Amino acid sequence: MSGLIPLCLGLAACSPALNWRTVRPPDASGLEALFPCKPNKVDRLVQLPGQAGPRVLVHLLSCQAGEATWAVSYLNATELSQVPALQSAMARTLRDNLETAASLPKQPALDVQSWHFSHGLTVFQATVWRRAPRANRPDATEATEAFKSGLIFPG
Protein backbone atom coordinates (compact mmCIF):
# COMPACT_ATOMS: atom_id res chain seq x y z
CA MET A 1 0.00 0.00 0.00
CA SER A 2 3.01 2.33 0.11
CA GLY A 3 2.29 3.38 -3.48
CA LEU A 4 -1.10 4.68 -2.37
CA ILE A 5 0.32 7.50 -0.26
CA PRO A 6 1.74 9.57 -3.16
CA LEU A 7 -1.48 9.02 -5.07
CA CYS A 8 -3.56 10.43 -2.26
CA LEU A 9 -1.55 13.63 -2.27
CA GLY A 10 -3.72 14.63 -5.22
CA LEU A 11 -6.85 14.84 -3.12
CA ALA A 12 -9.19 14.71 -6.09
CA ALA A 13 -8.05 11.20 -6.99
CA CYS A 14 -8.93 10.04 -3.48
CA SER A 15 -12.45 11.41 -3.46
CA PRO A 16 -15.07 9.58 -1.36
CA ALA A 17 -16.48 7.92 -4.51
CA LEU A 18 -13.13 6.20 -5.02
CA ASN A 19 -12.02 3.69 -2.40
CA TRP A 20 -8.53 2.70 -3.57
CA ARG A 21 -7.15 -0.77 -2.86
CA THR A 22 -4.34 -2.98 -4.11
CA VAL A 23 -5.50 -6.19 -5.76
CA ARG A 24 -3.24 -9.16 -6.51
CA PRO A 25 -5.08 -11.29 -9.07
CA PRO A 26 -4.36 -15.03 -9.03
CA ASP A 27 -2.45 -16.46 -11.99
CA ALA A 28 -1.46 -12.94 -13.17
CA SER A 29 2.36 -13.20 -13.12
CA GLY A 30 2.63 -11.17 -9.92
CA LEU A 31 0.58 -8.16 -11.06
CA GLU A 32 -0.51 -5.70 -8.41
CA ALA A 33 -3.37 -3.50 -9.61
CA LEU A 34 -4.64 -0.40 -7.84
CA PHE A 35 -8.44 -0.27 -8.16
CA PRO A 36 -10.72 2.57 -7.00
CA CYS A 37 -13.32 0.04 -5.87
CA LYS A 38 -13.57 -3.64 -4.95
CA PRO A 39 -13.45 -5.58 -8.23
CA ASN A 40 -15.55 -8.62 -9.03
CA LYS A 41 -13.79 -11.51 -10.75
CA VAL A 42 -15.23 -13.43 -13.69
CA ASP A 43 -13.53 -16.14 -15.77
CA ARG A 44 -14.73 -16.95 -19.28
CA LEU A 45 -13.70 -19.21 -22.13
CA VAL A 46 -13.44 -16.93 -25.19
CA GLN A 47 -12.65 -17.45 -28.86
CA LEU A 48 -10.35 -14.57 -29.73
CA PRO A 49 -10.40 -13.18 -33.27
CA GLY A 50 -7.66 -14.53 -35.50
CA GLN A 51 -6.85 -17.32 -33.06
CA ALA A 52 -7.32 -20.86 -34.31
CA GLY A 53 -7.84 -23.69 -31.90
CA PRO A 54 -9.70 -23.96 -28.64
CA ARG A 55 -11.13 -21.05 -26.71
CA VAL A 56 -8.86 -19.43 -24.13
CA LEU A 57 -9.59 -18.71 -20.49
CA VAL A 58 -9.81 -14.95 -19.92
CA HIS A 59 -9.87 -13.60 -16.37
CA LEU A 60 -11.66 -10.29 -15.75
CA LEU A 61 -11.57 -8.05 -12.70
CA SER A 62 -13.92 -5.07 -12.85
CA CYS A 63 -15.85 -2.61 -10.73
CA GLN A 64 -17.76 0.65 -11.05
CA ALA A 65 -16.90 3.87 -9.21
CA GLY A 66 -16.74 7.57 -9.94
CA GLU A 67 -18.99 7.30 -13.03
CA ALA A 68 -16.61 4.82 -14.67
CA THR A 69 -15.99 1.11 -15.07
CA TRP A 70 -12.46 0.02 -14.19
CA ALA A 71 -11.23 -3.32 -15.53
CA VAL A 72 -8.21 -5.55 -15.92
CA SER A 73 -8.49 -8.66 -18.06
CA TYR A 74 -5.73 -11.17 -18.62
CA LEU A 75 -4.96 -14.55 -20.09
CA ASN A 76 -2.01 -16.90 -20.06
CA ALA A 77 -0.23 -17.98 -23.22
CA THR A 78 1.32 -21.44 -23.40
CA GLU A 79 4.37 -20.23 -25.38
CA LEU A 80 6.18 -16.90 -25.50
CA SER A 81 5.75 -16.76 -29.28
CA GLN A 82 1.95 -16.50 -28.79
CA VAL A 83 2.10 -13.31 -26.70
CA PRO A 84 2.12 -10.69 -29.51
CA ALA A 85 -0.78 -12.36 -31.36
CA LEU A 86 -2.81 -12.70 -28.16
CA GLN A 87 -2.16 -9.07 -27.29
CA SER A 88 -3.38 -8.03 -30.76
CA ALA A 89 -6.43 -10.29 -30.43
CA MET A 90 -7.39 -8.70 -27.11
CA ALA A 91 -7.09 -5.21 -28.63
CA ARG A 92 -9.17 -6.34 -31.64
CA THR A 93 -11.86 -7.74 -29.35
CA LEU A 94 -12.07 -4.40 -27.54
CA ARG A 95 -12.40 -2.51 -30.85
CA ASP A 96 -15.08 -4.96 -32.06
CA ASN A 97 -17.04 -4.55 -28.81
CA LEU A 98 -16.87 -0.76 -29.06
CA GLU A 99 -18.07 -0.82 -32.68
CA THR A 100 -20.96 -3.09 -31.74
CA ALA A 101 -21.93 -0.87 -28.81
CA ALA A 102 -21.81 2.24 -31.01
CA SER A 103 -24.19 0.66 -33.52
CA LEU A 104 -26.89 -0.08 -30.95
CA PRO A 105 -29.84 2.33 -30.85
CA LYS A 106 -30.01 4.67 -27.86
CA GLN A 107 -26.58 3.51 -26.67
CA PRO A 108 -24.67 6.44 -25.16
CA ALA A 109 -21.30 7.19 -26.70
CA LEU A 110 -18.40 5.82 -24.70
CA ASP A 111 -14.94 7.11 -23.94
CA VAL A 112 -12.61 4.17 -23.37
CA GLN A 113 -8.97 4.29 -22.44
CA SER A 114 -7.04 1.05 -22.64
CA TRP A 115 -3.53 -0.22 -22.06
CA HIS A 116 -2.19 -3.52 -23.39
CA PHE A 117 0.91 -5.12 -21.92
CA SER A 118 2.43 -8.47 -21.08
CA HIS A 119 4.61 -9.95 -18.38
CA GLY A 120 6.14 -13.34 -19.09
CA LEU A 121 3.42 -15.50 -20.61
CA THR A 122 0.55 -13.36 -19.30
CA VAL A 123 -1.19 -10.85 -21.58
CA PHE A 124 -3.10 -7.96 -19.99
CA GLN A 125 -5.64 -5.35 -20.98
CA ALA A 126 -6.57 -2.57 -18.55
CA THR A 127 -9.48 -0.28 -19.38
CA VAL A 128 -11.44 2.64 -18.02
CA TRP A 129 -14.92 3.08 -19.53
CA ARG A 130 -16.90 6.32 -19.23
CA ARG A 131 -19.78 7.93 -21.06
CA ALA A 132 -18.56 10.46 -23.63
CA PRO A 133 -17.75 13.23 -23.83
CA ARG A 134 -14.86 12.54 -21.53
CA ALA A 135 -15.18 14.25 -18.22
CA ASN A 136 -12.26 16.66 -18.20
CA ARG A 137 -12.60 17.19 -14.51
CA PRO A 138 -9.22 16.95 -12.78
CA ASP A 139 -10.44 14.12 -10.55
CA ALA A 140 -11.36 11.94 -13.57
CA THR A 141 -7.96 12.49 -15.18
CA GLU A 142 -6.07 11.99 -11.91
CA ALA A 143 -8.02 8.85 -11.07
CA THR A 144 -7.32 7.37 -14.51
CA GLU A 145 -3.62 8.14 -14.11
CA ALA A 146 -3.63 6.58 -10.63
CA PHE A 147 -5.22 3.42 -12.04
CA LYS A 148 -2.74 3.25 -14.93
CA SER A 149 0.34 3.88 -12.78
CA GLY A 150 -0.97 1.41 -10.18
CA LEU A 151 -0.46 -1.53 -12.56
CA ILE A 152 2.87 -2.86 -11.34
CA PHE A 153 4.96 -5.99 -10.99
CA PRO A 154 6.86 -5.54 -7.71
CA GLY A 155 10.05 -7.36 -6.94
Side-chain angles (χ1 to χ4, degrees), residues 1-4 20-24 31-35 150 152:
M1 293 292 282
S2 62
L4 182 60
W20 294 96
R21 68 202 62 227
T22 299
V23 177
R24 293 170 186 86
L31 174 72
E32 284 188 5
L34 188 62
F35 273 89
I152 62 170

Side-chain angles (χ1 to χ4, degrees), residues 43-137:
D43 296 330
R44 290 189 193 160
L45 285 172
V46 176
Q47 185 67 52
L48 293 172
Q51 299 296 305
R55 297 182 298 169
V56 296
L57 182 62
V58 176
H59 309 279
L60 171 67
L61 298 166
S62 68
C63 59
Q64 294 184 340
E67 300 178 8
T69 299
W70 310 83
V72 172
S73 57
Y74 60 98
L75 56 87
N76 295 300
T78 55
E79 297 177 16
L80 195 55
S81 63
Q82 296 173 320
V83 169
L86 290 171
Q87 201 167 6
S88 294
M90 287 182 81
R92 173 68 189 269
T93 299
L94 176 62
R95 282 191 308 273
D96 291 350
N97 288 340
L98 288 171
E99 288 173 7
T100 299
S103 70
L104 297 175
K106 298 184 181 182
Q107 176 67 28
L110 295 172
D111 174 53
V112 179
Q113 292 179 277
S114 67
W115 304 272
H116 297 88
F117 54 99
S118 62
H119 187 75
L121 294 176
T122 308
V123 178
F124 297 90
Q125 175 179 279
T127 53
V128 178
W129 301 70
R130 286 191 176 87
R131 286 187 178 193
R134 175 191 258 165
N136 286 324
R137 299 182 332 246

